[in-house]
């Protein structure tokens, strides 16, 4: 496999001609590069006007390799061929090098370019590109790759230092300026005289003025005396100057400056810089190709009426996104995949497609959270930590997660979480500009005071795992530090469930404090200035965010009125809680197919309006769900599965005693299925008796339940294998759940083996 490396643009704040004079001082030997043992000139060419100067050298290198590898290879040094093509007219130096030793086993190619800075003619840019293809090397292929990567990193690190060293050396010798090349004045044939042969010029330490002065600033041991090939008559034609790969040519929109990387992205090794540049270039080129492809298919778009499907581009190598992401965003994905270029590319490509599909780039401008989230989501941004990271406070223990989920739904909560992450990215950019050093992550403080088993009911944990999955896939390496304070005894249960779904690099950034440990040494004050510690955590700073609390059940009906994502594809493939209508004479029924004996059918529902009668039945006939049930689009469902001709005791059997459920009640329960087959959860309208003797004025004051003929129920159900069902059989607060294979190892209360306790429902207000 061919390994490719590309360095960022190194900028020398010196004119091109002075840098070239310094560069020539590296030859024929350079003590500042210990592995460079010497060089000899194989061929040299100069154009008549002095604008083109080409040199081809044979360089001897001492590779830092293990002794056994040198012994097996039978060599102590290796040889490279280097061709330098200097164009003084265009002010460029192109360098092309390849290995001469072991050329049939290992192919090493290197291309470099010195050129004038595109925005400042008094500065010089340097770019380097290299490729390595180890075909066969006595079984030490991986070792050779590691040696090559190490050597490349060292060369990149030392290259700029060496040029700076020789520039300072020139200055110490009085050379501070080298004039640019100018075309020689034309000479008429009459005035032309035979050239007078003069001795070879000697090196001097003066201000240089001749067009070829860059080559004369060497000691008497320079290439003029190193090889007689230098005195070979020049070829009558100009040799081909080697073309560099396209990604090495100067193009400011496709390049990264080394100083920019250090200032805005942080310290990176040369290999990491190379991977960042390669991935950045691939994205930019793919985006250009996408734009041209879209323009050529405008006419076909009118005939395409299919809905957008979730984009999966990891395997196909395709791409679809609105804009090229920022360098800091690309770098996060590289870090998340330990700078594995291909894995980072797949992850980033899928994320960019996801962002385009759901228009995440616009979420800060378009997202308006529903009222329950505004009033009861106990979290918000709060100043910065000691390292300058944006600080987010989350009072999870004070949040009614269950109420928020029922009032707003998964979709709204997830969009709100995405808006928080997008705001975090924006604040990191602002902090980077304001503080003068790169800040790419934020700090989060999670207060768990008040956390209890009510936070660990199955639908809530299921939603939490979905949120974690989305954030981990699209916002990697954004968490700088997470401080969990006042963790209660129930926290290990939650941590056991969610920690396997959190990236290992992120888990290392978690600090957990129980009780009041966060107030002691090593606590919050070590990471947050005391003046910014919130008052509810023992500080003096007011934290401007909602305090949380229980969401009123009257707000649960808002789920019925939420917009359908403004035409955007849903972020959640399915919703946890469903809303249904129960009409007088038209019950709502849910089909649940049980495949295995002794499986546990669990349910959790809220009666939002009216009174209903709930029961569970088992059908002895196959049942099917209607394709287009009433209310399926944009409203509550109402589905009837049992035919009126079906007889109780013959076609269906009641497996749970009917239970009258009143408006405002929450019901949780479970049933152990003794037989496989179709089961039905049924909600019927409950006719509340009203005395006919009551005066009409009194009847008018009765609640709607006595006068209306429509009820609303919000419900959730799940089927668990009997081995996976643990904890309270009369509620959905078990830490075990079928949606997580990892939950099998979770510690929880003892498994109930009583069918009486399993076949029950528990109302609560």
């Amino acid at each position: 496999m061919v390994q490719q490396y590309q360095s960022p643009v190194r900028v020398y704040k010196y004119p091109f001609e002075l840098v070239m004079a310094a560069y020539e001082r590296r030859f024929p030997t350079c003590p500042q590069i210990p592995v460079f043992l010497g060089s000899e000139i194989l061929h040299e060419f100069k154009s008549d006007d002095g604008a083109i100067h080409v040199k081809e050298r044979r360089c001897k290198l001492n590779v830092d390799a293990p002794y056994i590898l040198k012994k097996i290879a039978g060599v102590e040094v290796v040889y490279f061929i280097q061709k330098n093509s200097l164009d003084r007219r265009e002010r460029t130096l192109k360098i092309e090098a390849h290995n001469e030793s072991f050329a049939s086993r290992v192919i090493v190619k290197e291309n470099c370019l010195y050129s004038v800075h595109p925005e400042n003619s008094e500065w010089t840019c340097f770019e380097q590109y290299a490729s390595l293809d180890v075909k066969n090397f006595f079984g030490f292929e991986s070792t050779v790759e590691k040696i090559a990567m190490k050597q490349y990193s060292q060369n990149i690190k030392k290259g700029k230092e060496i040029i700076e060293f020789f520039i300072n050396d020139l200055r110490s010798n009085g050379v501070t300026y080298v004039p640019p090349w100018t075309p020689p004045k034309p000479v008429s044939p009459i005035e032309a005289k035979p050239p007078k042969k003069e001795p070879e010029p000697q090196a001097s330490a003066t201000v240089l003025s001749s067009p070829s002065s860059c080559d004369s600033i060497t000691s008497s041991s320079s290439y003029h005396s190193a090889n007689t090939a230098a005195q070979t008559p020049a070829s009558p034609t100009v040799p081909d100057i080697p073309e560099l790969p396209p990604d090495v040519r100067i193009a400011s929109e496709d390049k990264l400056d080394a100083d920019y990387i250090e200032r805005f992205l942080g310290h990176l090794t040369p290999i990491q810089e190379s991977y960042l540049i390669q991935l950045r270039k691939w994205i930019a080129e793919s985006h250009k190709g996408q734009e041209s492809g879209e323009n050529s298919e405008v006419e076909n778009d009118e005939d395409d009426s299919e809905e957008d499907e979730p984009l999966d581009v990891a395997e196909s190598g395709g791409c679809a996104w609105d804009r090229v992401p920022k360098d800091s965003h690309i770098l996060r994905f590289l870090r998340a995949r330990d700078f594995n270029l291909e894995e980072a590319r797949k992850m980033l490509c899928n994320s960019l497609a996801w962002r385009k599909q759901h228009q995440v780039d616009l979420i800060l401008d378009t997202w308006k959270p529903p009222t329950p989230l505004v009033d009861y989501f106990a979290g918000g941004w709060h100043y910065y930590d000691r390292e300058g990271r944006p600080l987010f406070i989350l009072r999870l223990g004070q949040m009614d997660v269950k109420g928020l989920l029922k009032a707003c739904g998964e979709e709204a909560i997830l969009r709100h979480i995405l808006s928080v992450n997008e705001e975090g990215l924006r604040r990191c950019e602002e902090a980077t500009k304001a503080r003068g050093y790169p800040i790419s992550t934020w700090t989060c403080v999670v207060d768990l005071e008040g956390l209890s088993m009510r936070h660990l009911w199955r639908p809530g944990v299921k939603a939490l795992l979905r949120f974690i999955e989305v954030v981990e896939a699209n916002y990697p390496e954004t968490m700088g530090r997470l401080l969990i304070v006042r963790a209660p005894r129930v926290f290990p249960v939650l941590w056991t469930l969610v920690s396997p779904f959190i990236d290992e690099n992120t888990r290392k950034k978690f600090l957990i404090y129980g009780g009041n440990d966060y107030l002691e040494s090593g606590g919050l004050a070590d990471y947050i200035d005391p003046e910014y510690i919130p008052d509810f955590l023992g500080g003096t700073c007011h934290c401007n965010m909602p305090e949380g609390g229980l969401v009123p059940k009257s707000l649960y009906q808002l789920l019925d009125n939420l917009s359908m994502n403004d035409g955007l594809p849903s972020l959640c493939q399915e919703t946890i809680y469903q809303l249904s209508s129960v009409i007088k004479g038209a019950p709502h029924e849910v089909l649940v197919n049980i495949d295995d004996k002794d499986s546990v059918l669990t349910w959790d529902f809220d009666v939002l309006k009216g009174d209903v009668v709930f029961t569970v039945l088992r059908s002895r006939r196959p049942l099917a769900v209607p394709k287009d049930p009433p209310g399926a689009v944009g409203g509550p469902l109402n589905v009837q599965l049992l035919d009126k001709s079906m007889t109780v005791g013959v076609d269906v059997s009641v497996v749970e005693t009917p239970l009258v459920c009143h408006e405002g009640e929450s019901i949780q329960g479970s049933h152990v299925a003794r037989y496989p087959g179709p089961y039905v959860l049924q909600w019927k309208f409950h006719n509340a008796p009203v005395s006919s003797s009551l005066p009409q004025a009194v009847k008018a004051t009765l609640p709607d339940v006595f006068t209306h003929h429509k009820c609303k129920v919000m419900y959730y159900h799940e089927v668990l294998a009997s081995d996976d069902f643990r904890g309270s059989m009369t509620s959905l607060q078990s830490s075990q759940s079928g949606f997580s294979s990892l939950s099998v190892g979770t510690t929880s209360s003892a498994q109930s083996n009583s069918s009486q306790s399993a076949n029950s429902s528990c109302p609560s207000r």
Side-chain angles (χ1 to χ4, degrees), residues 603 667-670 725 727-733 756-763:
W603 55 84
I667 311 296
Q668 300 88 33
S670 57
F725 188 81
S728 173
M729 301 287 283
T730 59
S731 72
L732 293 183
Q733 294 179 350
Q756 286 78 11
S757 63
N759 302 335
S760 60
S761 293
C762 176

Side-chain angles (χ1 to χ4, degrees), residues 372-373 375-379 395-405 449 454-455 545-553 555-556:
L373 280 175
D375 296 339
Y376 295 97
F377 185 86
R395 303 187 69 179
L396 183 60
Q398 301 300 312
M399 264 202 303
D400 180 11
V401 182
K402 186 174 185 177
L404 287 174
L405 195 61
E449 185 184 47
R454 68 185 173 89
H455 292 86
M545 65 182 192
E547 295 183 357
L550 292 175
V551 179
K553 290 189 177 181
L555 297 180
Y556 288 5

Side-chain angles (χ1 to χ4, degrees), residues 598-663:
D598 294 333
S599 294
V600 182
L601 172 60
T602 64
W603 55 84
D604 174 19
F605 65 89
D606 289 87
V607 183
L608 304 182
K609 181 180 179 181
D611 294 347
V612 298
V613 178
F614 172 73
T615 189
V616 181
L617 306 101
R618 182 175 70 87
S619 174
R620 297 175 185 177
R621 292 188 194 173
L623 299 176
V625 179
K627 292 184 179 180
D628 298 311
V633 179
L637 295 170
N638 183 263
V639 180
Q640 288 86 51
L641 300 172
L642 301 179
D643 191 274
K644 293 182 179 180
S645 63
M646 300 177 73
T647 305
V648 175
V650 179
D651 302 304
V652 295
S653 57
V654 177
V655 297
E656 285 288 335
T657 304
L659 175 68
V660 177
C661 308
H662 301 285
E663 181 176 326

Side-chain angles (χ1 to χ4, degrees), residues 459-647:
V461 176
K462 187 175 183 179
L464 177 61
L465 295 180
R466 287 181 181 175
F467 299 157
I468 291 175
E469 181 182 9
V470 172
V471 172
E472 284 289 314
N474 299 285
Y475 299 92
E477 295 298 316
T478 54
M479 185 65 66
R481 183 177 292 112
L482 192 140
L483 306 170
I484 299 176
V485 300
R486 300 199 281 193
R489 292 183 177 180
V490 73
F491 173 72
V493 178
L494 177 63
W495 179 248
T496 302
L497 283 172
V498 303
S499 60
F501 294 87
I502 301 174
D503 181 75
E504 182 179 358
N505 292 333
T506 303
R507 289 202 304 268
K508 294 176 181 178
K509 302 169 185 176
F510 282 47
L511 295 175
I512 303 172
Y513 302 90
N516 293 324
D517 292 347
Y518 68 95
L519 297 174
E520 301 174 359
S521 176
L524 287 185
D526 284 15
Y527 305 102
I528 305 172
D529 287 332
E531 60 178 317
Y532 296 142
I533 295 179
D535 48 12
F536 56 84
L537 292 177
T540 58
C541 188
H542 174 68
C543 198
N544 187 22
M545 65 182 192
E547 295 183 357
L550 292 175
V551 179
K553 290 189 177 181
S554 60
L555 297 180
Y556 288 5
Q557 298 186 51
L558 291 178
L559 185 64
D560 189 19
N561 301 322
L562 291 178
S563 63
M564 299 300 290
N565 305 329
D566 298 324
L568 297 177
S570 176
L571 287 163
C572 304
Q573 297 300 318
E574 59 181 17
T575 57
I576 291 181
Y577 283 95
Q578 302 287 337
L579 194 63
S580 66
S581 292
V582 180
I583 305 171
K584 189 173 183 178
H588 177 64
E589 296 169 337
V590 176
L591 174 62
V592 183
N593 287 309
I594 303 294
D595 297 325
D596 301 317
K597 177 184 177 182
D598 294 333
S599 294
V600 182
L601 172 60
T602 64
W603 55 84
D604 174 19
F605 65 89
D606 289 87
V607 183
L608 304 182
K609 181 180 179 181
D611 294 347
V612 298
V613 178
F614 172 73
T615 189
V616 181
L617 306 101
R618 182 175 70 87
S619 174
R620 297 175 185 177
R621 292 188 194 173
L623 299 176
V625 179
K627 292 184 179 180
D628 298 311
V633 179
L637 295 170
N638 183 263
V639 180
Q640 288 86 51
L641 300 172
L642 301 179
D643 191 274
K644 293 182 179 180
S645 63
M646 300 177 73
T647 305

Side-chain angles (χ1 to χ4, degrees), residues 260-267 328 331 335 387-389 428-429 431-433 435-441:
Y260 161 82
I261 292 177
E262 191 72 26
R263 166 63 178 83
F264 290 97
L265 304 179
H267 175 72
S328 57
L331 185 57
R335 284 173 170 155
E387 298 179 33
R389 296 189 184 104
C428 285
E429 292 178 12
T432 297
K433 295 176 182 178
R435 295 181 178 268
Y437 55 86
I439 295 175
S440 60
T441 60

Side-chain angles (χ1 to χ4, degrees), residues 264-493:
F264 290 97
L265 304 179
H267 175 72
L268 299 175
T269 68
I271 299 301
Q272 292 172 346
E273 291 176 339
S274 174
Y275 290 162
L276 173 61
I277 293 170
Q278 291 182 56
L279 183 55
R280 182 179 186 267
K281 177 175 174 55
W282 179 86
I283 292 172
E285 290 179 346
S286 299
H287 183 65
K288 291 178 181 178
Q290 172 191 327
E291 287 181 334
S292 61
E294 289 176 350
N295 293 335
S296 64
E297 296 176 3
V298 171
E299 297 179 358
N300 296 334
D301 291 343
E302 298 178 357
D303 300 330
D304 187 6
S305 59
E306 296 182 0
E307 295 184 358
D308 292 335
E309 296 294 333
L311 299 172
D312 185 1
V313 294
E315 297 300 330
S316 64
C319 57
W321 49 76
D322 286 327
R323 60 184 181 183
V324 177
K326 297 178 180 179
D327 299 322
S328 57
H329 196 65
I330 299 174
L331 185 57
R332 289 186 178 97
F333 286 83
L334 282 166
R335 284 173 170 155
R337 290 296 176 261
D338 295 325
F339 285 89
N340 183 312
L341 187 59
E342 183 60 23
E343 291 299 320
R345 184 194 68 82
K346 291 179 181 179
M347 183 182 183
L348 177 58
C349 194
N350 282 331
S351 177
L352 293 176
W354 171 85
R355 292 180 71 88
K356 179 180 180 179
Q357 183 180 13
H358 301 287
Q359 297 186 16
V360 178
D361 288 334
L362 304 176
I363 198 167
L364 289 180
D365 299 324
T366 59
W367 168 244
K368 304 298 181 185
T371 301
L373 280 175
V374 174
D375 296 339
Y376 295 97
F377 185 86
W381 293 100
H382 180 75
Y383 297 102
Y384 300 86
D385 69 2
R386 288 185 179 272
E387 298 179 33
R389 296 189 184 104
L391 178 62
F392 190 84
I393 308 292
L394 180 65
R395 303 187 69 179
L396 183 60
Q398 301 300 312
M399 264 202 303
D400 180 11
V401 182
K402 186 174 185 177
L404 287 174
L405 195 61
K406 291 184 176 182
C408 304
E410 268 186 284
E411 183 80 15
I413 295 177
L414 180 53
R415 288 194 180 274
H416 193 62
I417 292 173
L418 297 183
S419 71
V420 169
N421 281 271
E422 290 295 311
E423 176 66 16
L425 297 178
R426 187 186 68 80
R427 287 175 177 259
C428 285
E429 292 178 12
E430 292 179 349
T432 297
K433 295 176 182 178
R435 295 181 178 268
Y437 55 86
I439 295 175
S440 60
T441 60
W442 55 80
T443 294
C444 182
V445 176
V446 180
D447 180 18
L448 294 184
E449 185 184 47
L451 185 77
S452 63
M453 290 301 294
R454 68 185 173 89
H455 292 86
L456 303 182
W457 95 114
R458 283 196 196 91
V461 176
K462 187 175 183 179
L464 177 61
L465 295 180
R466 287 181 181 175
F467 299 157
I468 291 175
E469 181 182 9
V470 172
V471 172
E472 284 289 314
N474 299 285
Y475 299 92
E477 295 298 316
T478 54
M479 185 65 66
R481 183 177 292 112
L482 192 140
L483 306 170
I484 299 176
V485 300
R486 300 199 281 193
R489 292 183 177 180
V490 73
F491 173 72
V493 178

Side-chain angles (χ1 to χ4, degrees), residues 582 607-614 659-665 683-689 704-706 708 710-713 765:
V582 180
V607 183
L608 304 182
K609 181 180 179 181
D611 294 347
V612 298
V613 178
F614 172 73
L659 175 68
V660 177
C661 308
H662 301 285
E663 181 176 326
E665 286 186 340
W683 291 268
K684 280 186 176 181
F685 183 87
H686 177 58
N687 291 306
D704 290 344
V705 66
F706 294 101
H708 287 195
K710 185 177 181 180
C711 303
K712 285 187 179 180
V713 176
R765 291 186 181 272

